[in-house]
Amino acid sequence: MPERFPASLQQKIEDRLRYYEDLGIRLFYTDRGPGGATLVAQEPIDSAFSPAPVHEETVLPKSMPKPVPAKVAPVAPPFPLVVPPTGPSLFETMEKVTDDTLLKIREDLGECTRCKLHRGRNKIVFGDGNPKAQLVFVGEGPGADEDAQGLPFVGRAGKLLTQMIEAMGLQRKEVYICNVVKCRPPENRAPEPDEVASCSPFLMRQIDSIHPKVIVCLGATAAKTILNTTRGISQFRGEWLEWRGHKLMATYHPAYLLRNPPAKADVWKDLQKVMAELGLRLPRKSKS
Ligand code: SF4
């Protein structure tokens, strides 16, 4: 990769490319000159992988001045239990809707055109599972399989999530699964701030309606959206947080685990904390 980015930004770009690769995207535009964009295949990247997807533009015009590296604030250990918000949360500023139901929320969403993501979608992926679940998983947004079926987490990453849920001693139908945005972003890119702002109030209503004991954020987008923080997920992954009276745990996205299987151990530790909170025990192995 050219040396025209600060190292931190270059690392984030590499992380994002790997994230896309996990989602099956291997074609990228590298240059937007007068002759149009040049389409090339993504080369494998060898350096260390970080799970946190980023929202920065992955290609900058050559005419732009070289970005100045941001000052890195010192991290004061131990990490606080509650992530300090960087501003008033989108969710916190909204009144809690009482007597709301998932059916009513889905009706209100309708054939939504509130943001530009509606243009490329096949089906709205509202959410799936138990409307009285004690445990809610929140992901980033639908992928190709989810867009085709109208159900969340049904592709490869979804199968892994199902295995994770079953390893906790639960069935998928006992939990609720949804995403920050309900329509598939083009090329599976991360949802943009205006899209998150348009769609996430419905997520808030879903959570309020279900009123789970525990929310598990799968990946950086879900965690950063709900917590309204710019901090990287690796800084608070695995820590108990609190949001609107719910216990919240952020962990890695299953798509990241497909790319980086050793991280499954970290996620399993996180899920075991969730199991303890919910009073779940590991299923006993049957004696042969
Ligand atoms: S992503 Fe959400 S806000 Fe945007 S069109 Fe789809 S349902 Fe509507």
Side-chain angles (χ1 to χ4, degrees):
M1 186 169 289
E3 290 286 339
R4 53 190 167 123
F5 303 125
S8 60
L9 178 57
Q10 182 164 326
Q11 182 63 51
K12 288 180 178 179
I13 293 169
E14 290 180 7
D15 293 344
R16 173 49 75 181
L17 291 174
R18 288 193 189 91
Y19 182 70
Y20 285 152
E21 193 176 8
D22 285 337
L23 298 171
I25 301 168
R26 293 183 177 79
L27 297 176
F28 295 90
Y29 292 94
T30 59
D31 190 9
R32 292 188 181 276
T38 304
L39 190 62
V40 296
Q42 179 191 350
E43 295 295 329
I45 299 169
D46 296 324
S47 54
F49 180 68
S50 167
V54 293
H55 293 187
E56 285 86 351
E57 290 291 331
T58 55
V59 177
L60 296 178
K62 288 178 179 174
S63 59
M64 282 188 68
K66 193 172 182 180
V68 178
K71 289 183 181 175
V72 179
V75 177
F79 185 75
L81 193 60
V82 176
V83 177
T86 52
S89 166
L90 173 69
F91 296 156
E92 302 289 358
T93 57
M94 295 193 60
E95 287 187 19
K96 188 168 180 174
V97 180
T98 55
D99 299 328
D100 213 356
T101 64
L102 293 176
L103 188 61
K104 173 82 166 51
I105 299 164
R106 182 64 188 89
E107 285 175 0
D108 290 347
L109 188 66
E111 285 305 302
C112 184
T113 57
R114 291 172 179 83
C115 83
K116 57 186 177 294
L117 291 183
H118 80 276
R119 295 181 200 135
R121 76 165 176 243
N122 184 36
K123 289 184 178 175
I124 289 178
V125 181
F126 180 69
D128 187 41
N130 180 1
K132 300 293 179 192
Q134 290 287 291
L135 175 59
V136 168
F137 289 93
V138 181
E140 177 176 296
D145 294 313
E146 291 76 16
D147 177 64
Q149 297 185 41
L151 292 169
F153 283 91
V154 289
R156 281 182 68 220
K159 289 194 175 83
L160 180 55
L161 176 61
T162 301
Q163 290 174 351
M164 289 158 54
I165 292 168
E166 290 173 350
M168 297 173 73
L170 293 168
Q171 295 179 40
R172 188 176 156 122
K173 65 183 180 185
E174 294 179 282
V175 305
Y176 193 82
I177 305 171
C178 53
N179 286 305
V180 172
V181 292
K182 315 298 186 202
C183 301
R184 182 192 181 195
E187 305 302 320
N188 288 353
R189 64 160 169 75
E192 294 174 350
D194 61 312
E195 296 156 358
V196 171
S198 297
C199 206
S200 52
F202 293 95
L203 169 64
M204 184 202 73
R205 287 178 60 187
Q206 285 173 292
I207 294 173
D208 278 345
S209 165
I210 298 166
H211 200 65
K213 193 170 182 183
V214 175
I215 302 165
V216 172
C217 292
L218 299 169
T221 296
K224 289 180 176 181
T225 299
I226 291 179
L227 296 169
N228 193 32
T229 182
T230 57
R231 299 181 78 164
I233 188 174
S234 58
Q235 295 183 44
F236 53 85
R237 195 223 93 237
E239 301 284 345
W240 275 122
L241 308 171
E242 192 170 321
W243 178 77
R244 288 169 64 96
H246 306 282
K247 299 206 80 169
L248 185 149
M249 175 77 71
T251 194
Y252 296 137
H253 194 285
Y256 169 67
L257 300 182
L258 292 174
R259 176 71 182 171
N260 187 18
K264 288 179 182 177
D266 288 332
V267 172
W268 182 233
K269 282 184 202 160
D270 301 343
L271 295 182
Q272 285 180 302
K273 292 179 186 175
V274 173
M275 290 170 63
E277 184 64 26
L278 295 175
L280 298 171
R281 294 186 178 179
L282 281 174
R284 287 185 182 173
K285 290 180 181 173
S286 58
K287 294 177 183 176
S288 55

